[in-house]
Amino acid sequence: MPRLILVRHGQSQWNLENRFTGWWDVDLTEKGEAEARAAGELLLAKAMLPTMAFTSLQTRAIRTLHFALEAAGRLWVPEIKDWRLNERHYGGLTGLDKAETAARHGDDQVKIWRRSFDIPPPVLEDGSAFDLKADPRYAGIAIPSTESLKDTIARVLPYYESAIVPQLKASHVVLVSAHGISLRALVKHLSGISDHDITGLEIPTGQPIVYELDEALAATERYYLAER
């Protein structure tokens, strides 16, 4: 039966610093690198070996994928990178310290920006230090100025259906190395989680989540590989 493995990138520098990251390209910490290697070692130990891989255009997800594949002895498998697997765009919150932002705007407002299903943060102004329009990896892409979870789902799911589903139907074991919110979009879809309940779902860094799928690609089981 088809199998899908999801891995959130290892700890990034801005995870460590408690800053809103979104589309900004932040690298892994040493701990994040170790988490990524451990994920690959677990894949190898459990004989859960991917034959196809997908990731975003962001360094922390790409390097997590490569560390994991190397540890699993699978650096040779085909991989596809696409911006639609990027993290949610945090708009004008990008780069801000989360605690300082809560002190300035109030916990309730920050909770709305972070956890509501369809209310995005303030937009990122043109010319901001975090404006990505000149980044060559996004040439020709309509870069969002902010995104809600709903907005992120609207780009992730069509990509899943058009690019990842055909590989699952071809009996590949697919590994997706991505981000907390883009993976949350996939989990919501595959597990049928409500708009309300998905906002409370946490996906830990570097912990492979396995979906066992039937021939129609409906999920028959979801589990953390470390628990098997």
Side-chain angles (χ1 to χ4, degrees), residues 82-129:
D82 197 281
W83 68 272
R84 284 164 290 189
L85 293 174
N86 276 18
E87 178 59 289
R88 166 194 180 181
H89 198 302
Y90 268 104
L93 299 182
T94 303
L96 297 181
D97 179 279
K98 293 177 182 178
E100 291 177 0
T101 305
R104 184 179 304 122
H105 296 284
D107 289 336
D108 289 345
Q109 180 60 66
V110 172
K111 184 177 181 181
I112 290 170
W113 286 333
R114 292 187 67 189
R115 291 299 183 183
S116 66
F117 179 72
D118 56 3
I119 300 175
V123 300
L124 182 71
E125 299 295 337
D126 287 344
S128 157

Side-chain angles (χ1 to χ4, degrees), residues 8-9 12 14-15 19-27 56-61 83 85-96 98 121 124 130 132 137-138 143-144 146-147 152 155 178-182:
R8 182 185 175 191
H9 63 79
S12 74
W14 280 14
N15 289 148
R19 299 169 71 182
F20 291 100
T21 312
W23 276 41
W24 195 246
D25 202 33
V26 177
D27 206 348
S56 72
L57 295 185
Q58 298 184 272
T59 297
R60 58 195 185 271
W83 68 272
L85 293 174
N86 276 18
E87 178 59 289
R88 166 194 180 181
H89 198 302
Y90 268 104
L93 299 182
T94 303
L96 297 181
K98 293 177 182 178
L124 182 71
F130 303 110
L132 291 167
R137 85 190 80 184
Y138 300 119
I143 300 171
T146 185
E147 288 181 306
T152 309
R155 61 170 160 85
H179 307 264
I181 307 301
S182 53

Side-chain angles (χ1 to χ4, degrees), residues 1 4 10 13 17 30 34 40 42 45 49 61 102 109 115 126 128 141 145 178 184 190 197 212 226 228:
M1 292 296 102
L4 176 65
Q13 186 60 39
E17 296 175 13
E30 288 186 10
L42 185 61
L49 298 175
Q109 180 60 66
R115 291 299 183 183
D126 287 344
S128 157
I141 293 171
S145 57
R184 196 180 292 175
L190 291 165
D197 290 341
E212 305 288 354
R228 290 299 176 95

